[in-house]
Amino acid sequence: MVKNYFVTTPIYYVNDRPHIGHAYTSVACDVLARFMRLDGYQVKFLTGTDEHGQKVEKSAIAAGLSAGEFTTKLSQNFRDLTGSLALSNDDFIRTTEPRHIKAAQALWQRLLERGEIYLGSYAGWYSVRDESFYAESELRADGKAPTGADVEWLEEPSYFFRLSNWQDRLLEFYESHPDFIAPRSGRNEILAWVKSGLTDLSVSRTSFTWGIAVPNDPAHVVYVWFDALINYITACGFPDEQSPDWQFWPADLHMVGKDIIRFHAVIWPAMLMAAGLPTPKRVFAHGWWTNEGQKISKSLGNVIDPLVEIESYGLDSFRYFLLREVSFGNDADYSKTQLEIRINTDLANGLGNLAQRVLSMIQKNCEGRVPVAGELQPVDQELLAAAAGLVEQLRPMMAEQAFQRALEQVWLVVTAANRYVDDMAPWSLRKTDLARMATVLFVLAEVLRYLGLVIQPFMPGAGARLLDQLTVANEGRDFSDESWNRVLESGRLLPAPVGLFPRVGGV
Ligand code: ME8
């Protein structure tokens, strides 16, 4: 039976240009999507853009464009990330698409019929930058939102979602699904927030028009967050539960930044429970990037453009750094020095050097052919076993989104293999024992094959190049036992080696 896996990024606001934060979330999801595909799952990987609401409307006006033209133009910047970051997303959703408007209105209607939405009036604080309502008690002493954003006073007729009704059921749900929110800090934040008491949520606005019309009451548009969250089921064919895509719901993982965890771990499951629909299996709220220790912001002018970084360092190295640098879930600092050290130490001197040494020795001393192995010694078996065990070790780590640990595990093998080269000294064996040299180089070629397979999700380019150099067939590159255990054929002619990772910078 085919197993499904559905992973999503947040849908990004179109008014911003894609920056390192967006790249981070999307790359993390891509690594999971690729890993699960190689591991035999039928994967759906969704990303897209959030295009309604006052913030986008204001940006469109400032740009002198209609909201429709503005969103179409800017959404393309996010769509282009697929190519520039090598994302393997299966769908790209825009909330202005007819399929989404239909789904959002259908869910609204269902909640209205179930008595979960009612008409009232809202009087309170709102931040356009955050597209969030704030209680008086949440504001800072200087009157701003806790995020530092300006707030304005709103008084308007509004529909409400009975969020308060779901407080106890949410708490029971978190209790019975301890892995629903990760990491632990995120879970604790949510538990405390829900326990402190939920109030009904204003879910429509009348003071502007750039949004999805409320069914049968076109003076209202749907609150942008209420609209946006629904994208995840739109992409599964909602409201058509017979759609072939509906098999992917509920999502296995909503990956988000810690800024928007409440929407995903509280409001969204409450909306789904209220509609009688299954809730997602997990929400992971990752940490925040700073730039050389400073908060990243447009006003400070220190926004990191992923395209510039990729141009300087290469895509594989950039992706590697994002996921290797900190434990996923913690905040991270984008420091050029750290980045260059990582690239040179782990990639150029670590894996790159290993591949280069092994493949050029095979080229020079084995007529460029996969060598014939003689009897294996315990030291050979030990290294081979460590490499062969990698995929099995990585599975539970990937299930917990422990990317850093997964990469550390892979690099234990890289380090062990480099040490093995030094210890076995095949260049000396060349003069004393050609058969043993061939065995050592065969073991190393096999280790490279395992490494090439397992790095593919993280560094698709380097993974493919390494496997190409070993002439591993395309159908032998997944994580099925058949491919994983398909030992290199002795005697096979290998192409001339090419470098995997260039050294960078002055460190
Ligand atoms: O919130 N570090 O969209 P958004 C790490 N449209 N991640 C960061 C980051 C940083 N410095 N800055 C941004 C929205 N991110 C809504 C989502 S979903 C139904 C609607 C990432 O464009 C992180 O994933 O403001 C964060 O959650 C997301 O970008 C916010 O993107």
Side-chain angles (χ1 to χ4, degrees), residues 381-420:
Q381 278 160 343
E382 200 183 314
L383 180 65
L384 276 176
L390 276 176
V391 82
E392 195 64 46
Q393 283 169 329
L394 259 54
R395 281 190 185 108
M397 297 178 186
M398 298 306 270
E400 291 178 10
Q401 293 79 48
F403 303 109
Q404 187 194 42
R405 263 171 47 219
L407 286 169
E408 278 168 358
Q409 198 68 39
V410 175
W411 256 259
L412 286 179
V413 174
V414 172
T415 309
N418 267 323
R419 198 177 326 114
Y420 172 90

Side-chain angles (χ1 to χ4, degrees), residues 336-366:
K336 294 258 160 169
T337 315
Q338 261 318 101
L339 170 71
E340 293 181 1
I341 290 175
R342 277 260 165 251
I343 294 177
N344 288 339
T345 311
D346 299 2
L347 300 182
N349 297 345
L351 179 55
N353 192 35
L354 175 70
Q356 187 66 27
R357 284 161 104 186
V358 172
L359 294 170
S360 54
M361 278 189 281
I362 291 179
Q363 202 59 226
K364 284 197 205 108
N365 304 313
C366 310

Side-chain angles (χ1 to χ4, degrees), residues 281-495:
K281 294 185 197 151
R282 185 167 165 94
V283 175
F284 193 107
H286 64 61
W288 217 240
W289 281 89
T290 50
N291 184 356
E292 309 286 351
Q294 267 198 327
K295 184 177 173 325
I296 297 178
S297 82
K298 265 197 237 172
S299 51
L300 288 175
N302 65 349
V303 175
I304 300 168
D305 180 345
L307 302 184
V308 172
E309 300 310 293
I310 293 167
E311 183 66 30
S312 311
Y313 298 109
L315 177 60
D316 288 315
S317 304
F318 177 64
R319 286 174 59 120
Y320 176 80
F321 178 70
L322 292 183
L323 296 181
R324 174 62 183 77
E325 191 53 11
V326 293
S327 167
F328 201 64
N330 291 351
D331 292 342
D333 184 40
Y334 200 87
S335 133
K336 294 258 160 169
T337 315
Q338 261 318 101
L339 170 71
E340 293 181 1
I341 290 175
R342 277 260 165 251
I343 294 177
N344 288 339
T345 311
D346 299 2
L347 300 182
N349 297 345
L351 179 55
N353 192 35
L354 175 70
Q356 187 66 27
R357 284 161 104 186
V358 172
L359 294 170
S360 54
M361 278 189 281
I362 291 179
Q363 202 59 226
K364 284 197 205 108
N365 304 313
C366 310
E367 296 167 342
R369 291 177 190 277
V370 176
V372 180
E375 204 181 325
L376 296 183
Q377 297 182 359
V379 61
D380 310 332
Q381 278 160 343
E382 200 183 314
L383 180 65
L384 276 176
L390 276 176
V391 82
E392 195 64 46
Q393 283 169 329
L394 259 54
R395 281 190 185 108
M397 297 178 186
M398 298 306 270
E400 291 178 10
Q401 293 79 48
F403 303 109
Q404 187 194 42
R405 263 171 47 219
L407 286 169
E408 278 168 358
Q409 198 68 39
V410 175
W411 256 259
L412 286 179
V413 174
V414 172
T415 309
N418 267 323
R419 198 177 326 114
Y420 172 90
V421 178
D422 296 341
D423 292 349
M424 296 301 120
W427 48 88
S428 310
L429 290 172
R430 207 183 101 218
K431 296 172 212 142
T432 54
D433 188 346
L434 276 179
R436 178 68 192 145
M437 177 200 75
T439 304
V440 165
L441 290 178
F442 176 84
V443 167
L444 286 164
E446 263 294 281
V447 169
L448 284 178
R449 183 181 68 85
Y450 289 120
L451 290 170
L453 290 173
V454 88
I455 64 166
Q456 294 177 97
F458 298 90
M459 295 181 279
R465 280 199 302 282
L466 185 50
L467 295 173
D468 286 347
Q469 295 193 45
L470 295 164
T471 69
V472 174
N474 279 336
E475 66 278 9
R477 295 186 178 194
D478 59 44
F479 297 158
S480 63
D481 288 348
E482 204 211 339
S483 300
W484 188 254
N485 300 329
R486 195 189 291 185
V487 176
L488 291 169
E489 233 175 276
S490 295
R492 237 186 128 85
L493 194 60
L494 301 182

